[in-house]
Amino acid sequence: TDADPGPLPVPVLDLNDTRAVADFILAEVGLPLRSDLRFDRVAVVDWSSAATPSPAQPGADAIWIGLAGEGVEQASYYRTRAAAEAALHDLVAAERAAGRRLLIGFDFPLGYPAGFAGRLTGSAQARAVWRWLAARISDAPDNANNRFAVAAAINAQFGGAGPFWGRPASADLPGLPPVKAVDYARLGLQERRLVEQLVPRAQPVWKCYTTGSVGGQALMGLPVIHRLANLPGVAVWPFDAPDMPVVLAEVYPSLLAPQVAALGGIRDAAQVRLLAR
């Protein structure tokens, strides 16, 4: 409550003291109070699979990284994936050197529906997929990349019937259909992970082109996850226990759309700052 109820036979917590309420709940259900697992700073990454550098003037539909914590709240703009990845490596090194715990949230899928990893790599582990993609995705300093060709190669490995779809009409890749023409039941894969079933407006991980092409973002982002995950002191949740100094996880900035719209300005910049906060 935020009022004074007078003497009561139960604990009384300030309605606005989020930490006290959370600690009370943890204690009541018997979970340990691990102050060493609290994050000191949170970064949120709005990724892009663009094939050319974003404009020099900051705008939407580019890479933005929000950062929040004691004494800092900012949103930074990056024209290329190479520049953004370098900034993330620097951020991890700086936060570790300062002795702070860091959570980095990425707005693309960190995993695929059950069964995909094993059939692609022979190992039913997300890390095997990240490693497989890191060995095959090329991503030049100017954002030129081969994501459509890699998606077509994966389709070929699955017998040429999917699971990826979506490409520019100019791309000569018969193995990657320009529109969805996949029978996922016959293929033996789910079209949507559980999270996309719970959030229906979320796009499926197989969509590689046009608005909401999270499939393309994942193909270009998972090699970055692979490289970051191999740094000392970095864990990836939920695949690892979140007890390392740096934890990477999947996040959904678009769930804050109403609050972001109320802030105005560049949508992508506002949403990474707000979610990091």
Side-chain angles (χ1 to χ4, degrees), residues 39-219:
F39 294 105
D40 302 296
R41 289 190 172 177
V42 175
V44 173
V45 182
D46 184 353
W47 200 242
S48 170
S49 58
T52 58
S54 297
Q57 181 67 27
D61 300 321
I63 297 177
W64 287 88
I65 300 178
L67 181 65
E70 186 174 354
V72 62
E73 182 176 318
Q74 65 188 43
S76 303
Y77 174 77
Y78 298 91
R79 299 185 63 197
T80 66
R81 284 179 295 276
E85 181 176 355
L88 289 170
H89 280 259
D90 290 345
L91 177 63
V92 168
E95 295 304 297
R96 290 210 63 196
R100 291 187 289 259
R101 294 199 73 233
L102 171 67
L103 171 66
I104 308 178
F106 294 86
D107 74 334
F108 55 80
L110 299 191
Y112 290 92
F116 175 76
R119 291 170 65 180
L120 179 69
T121 71
S123 171
Q125 302 293 325
R127 287 180 182 270
V129 177
W130 309 340
R131 183 169 55 250
W132 192 96
L133 289 172
R136 291 162 176 82
I137 287 285
S138 63
D139 195 3
D142 64 353
N143 273 357
N145 64 81
N146 66 340
R147 69 186 188 278
F148 297 118
V150 170
I154 294 174
N155 282 354
Q157 190 164 327
F158 278 73
F164 289 98
W165 59 273
R167 61 170 171 81
S170 58
D172 185 19
L173 292 168
L176 182 64
V179 296
K180 185 173 72 171
V182 185
D183 185 341
Y184 288 99
R186 177 173 294 182
L187 196 60
L189 291 172
Q190 291 290 325
E191 181 179 8
R192 291 176 174 270
R193 302 176 302 164
L194 178 58
V195 67
E196 283 105 31
Q197 297 173 36
L198 295 173
V199 185
R201 64 181 175 179
Q203 298 285 355
V205 298
W206 314 116
K207 183 179 181 181
C208 293
Y209 192 56
T210 67
T211 303
S213 55
V214 295
Q217 292 182 352
L219 290 174

